[in-house]
Amino acid sequence: MTGTSGRDTMVISRRLLLASSMAGAGSFMAGCSLPSPASVDRTERADSSGSTSSALAGGPFPQGFAWGVATSAFQIEGAQTADGRTPSIWDAYAEVTGNIADASTAAVACDHYGRWEADLDLMKELGVNSYRFSIAWPRVMPRDSGHVNSAGLGFYDRLVDGLVSRGITPVATLFHWDLPTYLQDAGGWENRDSSAWFVDYAQAVFARLGDRVGSWATINETKIIAQLGYQQGSMAPGKRDTLASGRVVHHLNLAHGRAVQAFRASGASGQIGPCFAMSPCYPADERVAADVVDRIDLQENRLYLDPILRGSYPEQLDALGGEFVRGLDSAIRPEDAAVIAANVDFVGVTYYSPAIIGSSGPVQRYPVAANGWQQLYPKGLQDLLVRIHRDYKAPNIVVLENGVPDARGEDPTHDSQRIEFLRSHLSSARQAIADGVRLTGFHVWSLLDNFEWAQGYTQRYGLVRVDFGTQQRTPKASATWYSKVIAANALVD
Ligand code: FCB
């Protein structure tokens, strides 16, 4: 992290662990899987200053708590040309040899476009009262920003009706990474016009669905788009251009703010908020200086939280210099700050992994999931929720994603390690509530095994197993367990 190009190399979250393991410690990761329940427990005790998860298991969650599951359009729908849909940047990215681990595509995925009613029945059986899904922009505006494709939007109209009739609150994400390719060809998020395109699209969606959708998440995880899509190139659009990633972050923030304004103007009845990918940062040991950890926290968290929740980018960013900051600065106009900080109703977060900072870069301290990048540290969830509550005076907070892939070597439908994962993370969330956080809901990633981006079908995150040959759905043990938790509105054994 020295010199002006520090930002180019300091990509900490998610797949960084995978990248660094490939570079140097491949064999170390190869045998890694989820820890046994006992070791999760030990981790909890060692790090939660004496407050164990079991002590909390009996406490109910707040009344009206949103118990949900989450998916995204590209990962489950398939039907890539149905009803006028055109390709997204992810269709294009998946077609390039070498980009997807198992050389698969999402052409069929879970065929949710054809099977959505049965999938909603599955949710009803699970007992969830909240469903986070995303709307595919290339279905809604497949050819140009002005023209709404009513057939494409009709799919979501039926989906939302189907949810409401089953007593499940629709939580719709406007953008979960599937930008239409015609907009990428026009510069994508590097182009300042992108926020205007996004408003055109969002207005069409608000007009059709705004009377029934309970909550809207604007942009899914700007950080992941910037780091993996524009710095590492390991996600669509597959660029390695740090300067561009700075511009993209600002334009995504602007798109978020303008969509919030458009939402208010639409008179729709629901709520709206951002969706941040959070990585709480910790020093690996006492030799790591606090300012080193702060700097990573700046890049991983505050860079995204501050403009939306505080009205300005963190001042310390300037001191970092480098291509990223140059790109960001080149995109900012004075009038943008107030737009980006438009008042939101909730703060949406996703949590998978902490960032553990050693003296010469990120390190592994906790067991790693089968995806190779996710360190299992349940207390990170409590820490990040308390931090957003405390430092940002957040209104309501909602967990929009938390989950883990099937463990290696475990019978896929007897996924006791996922149960232990969810139990420990929900316990951590419950502790945050006890600490005063206004946490209103929790969405498990994911309802179904699905197309996990560059990892293709090699990582299965579902509560429900999908046989991709027959499309048969089989609830895993975790689905049964989650149903019991929902019914009790409290953690159960
Ligand atoms: C999140 C993404 C989601 C899925 C999970 C595992 O960052 O939003 O689509 O890939 O990771």
Side-chain angles (χ1 to χ4, degrees):
M1 185 75 187
T2 51
T4 52
S5 64
R7 301 191 59 86
D8 307 17
T9 48
M10 289 306 289
V11 181
I12 298 299
S13 63
R14 277 180 75 111
R15 283 94 182 170
L16 175 73
L17 205 53
L18 180 71
S20 58
S21 78
M22 284 172 143
S27 57
F28 160 71
M29 301 299 284
C32 244
S33 66
L34 286 170
S36 67
S39 62
V40 171
D41 259 48
R42 271 199 301 279
T43 309
E44 271 277 278
R45 284 196 192 103
D47 289 89
S48 56
S49 326
S51 71
T52 64
S53 49
S54 55
L56 290 158
F61 281 72
Q63 268 207 331
F65 194 73
W67 291 104
V69 286
T71 63
S72 86
F74 189 77
Q75 294 177 274
I76 62 168
E77 287 178 356
Q80 289 173 322
T81 54
D83 297 326
R85 179 189 183 274
T86 57
S88 75
I89 56 172
W90 265 98
D91 299 80
Y93 186 80
E95 268 165 25
V96 178
T97 308
N99 277 354
I100 309 296
D102 56 2
S104 62
T105 72
V108 178
C110 307
D111 186 28
H112 174 72
Y113 200 80
R115 295 166 193 265
W116 63 272
E117 287 189 271
D119 289 340
L120 296 200
D121 289 342
L122 263 174
M123 280 181 232
K124 171 99 182 142
E125 277 158 38
L126 261 175
V128 299
N129 57 22
S130 185
Y131 174 46
R132 178 186 178 219
F133 60 98
S134 79
I135 295 170
W137 191 341
R139 293 195 194 281
V140 176
M141 289 194 164
R143 297 200 185 280
D144 66 73
S145 251
H147 180 247
V148 180
N149 173 31
S150 180
L153 202 40
F155 172 72
Y156 301 103
D157 209 356
R158 294 189 293 281
L159 184 79
V160 165
D161 276 347
L163 287 165
V164 171
S165 71
R166 287 168 179 81
I168 302 170
T169 301
V171 177
T173 307
L174 286 169
F175 181 66
H176 201 126
W177 303 353
D178 46 356
L179 189 74
T181 48
Y182 72 87
L183 292 177
Q184 186 66 32
D185 293 344
W189 296 109
E190 289 172 63
N191 185 337
R192 189 175 166 92
D193 291 344
S194 52
S195 64
W197 307 330
F198 189 59
V199 168
D200 283 346
Y201 155 67
Q203 278 172 333
V205 177
F206 296 149
R208 183 90 173 248
L209 309 178
D211 56 339
R212 285 154 293 151
V213 167
S215 299
W216 299 88
T218 51
I219 309 273
N220 186 64
E221 301 180 329
T222 292
K223 176 171 77 178
I224 307 297
I225 299 170
Q227 292 186 348
L228 302 190
Y230 282 85
Q231 291 173 21
Q232 289 188 7
S234 56
M235 282 195 162
K239 296 210 172 185
R240 286 167 186 258
D241 184 342
T242 307
L243 189 93
S245 78
R247 294 183 63 77
V248 162
V249 165
H250 185 68
H251 291 153
L252 283 163
N253 284 338
L254 195 57
H256 157 85
R258 291 193 61 186
V260 173
Q261 292 180 328
F263 177 74
R264 304 285 180 224
S266 77
S269 55
Q271 304 202 326
I272 193 162
C275 177
F276 298 112
M278 297 293 298
S279 308
C281 298
Y282 307 91
D285 56 51
E286 65 285 350
R287 284 167 304 174
V288 181
D291 66 319
V292 174
V293 181
D294 282 352
R295 202 157 44 188
I296 305 301
D297 178 52
L298 185 70
Q299 297 175 177
E300 290 295 308
N301 302 309
R302 291 184 48 206
L303 165 60
Y304 303 95
L305 294 163
D306 282 20
I308 289 177
L309 301 177
R310 283 199 173 135
S312 59
Y313 290 99
E315 273 171 29
Q316 297 89 331
L317 263 184
D318 282 343
L320 292 178
E323 290 287 278
F324 178 87
V325 175
R326 278 210 293 131
L328 188 78
D329 283 347
S330 73
I332 295 173
R333 294 195 191 160
E335 66 271 24
D336 296 346
V339 177
I340 292 171
N343 198 29
V344 294
D345 301 307
F346 63 86
V347 177
V349 297
T350 72
Y351 174 63
Y352 290 90
S353 186
I356 312 296
I357 318 304
S359 6
S360 49
V363 298
Q364 189 211 333
R365 176 154 127 199
Y366 299 108
V368 174
N371 51 25
W373 56 265
Q374 181 180 4
Q375 295 196 52
L376 302 170
Y377 184 55
K379 184 162 183 296
L381 181 58
Q382 178 190 347
D383 290 349
L384 79 87
L385 292 172
V386 168
R387 192 257 184 111
I388 294 177
H389 170 75
R390 187 194 58 209
D391 292 358
Y392 292 88
K393 310 279 174 280
N396 298 331
I397 307 177
V398 57
V399 174
L400 290 175
E401 286 179 32
N402 176 240
V404 72
D406 284 356
R408 272 186 221 147
E410 199 176 41
D411 174 339
T413 52
H414 293 91
D415 54 341
S416 54
Q417 300 196 49
R418 175 173 291 103
I419 295 176
E420 198 45 43
F421 175 93
L422 290 173
R423 192 202 311 277
S424 54
H425 283 75
L426 277 166
S427 174
S428 186
R430 180 67 190 75
Q431 178 66 61
I433 294 169
D435 293 342
V437 173
R438 290 193 300 266
L439 183 71
T440 59
F442 183 93
H443 298 78
V444 175
W445 184 271
S446 181
L447 171 68
L448 302 168
D449 293 341
N450 58 47
F451 179 80
E452 174 48 23
W453 309 113
Q455 293 184 318
Y457 299 99
T458 65
Q459 301 298 324
R460 293 169 171 269
Y461 286 78
L463 292 172
V464 175
R465 181 170 174 84
V466 176
D467 178 327
F468 292 105
T470 63
Q471 289 297 338
Q472 194 188 336
R473 274 73 163 143
T474 310
K476 304 177 188 176
S478 56
T480 312
W481 176 82
Y482 193 46
S483 294
K484 289 186 195 152
V485 171
I486 296 170
N489 197 38
L491 286 174
V492 296
D493 286 340

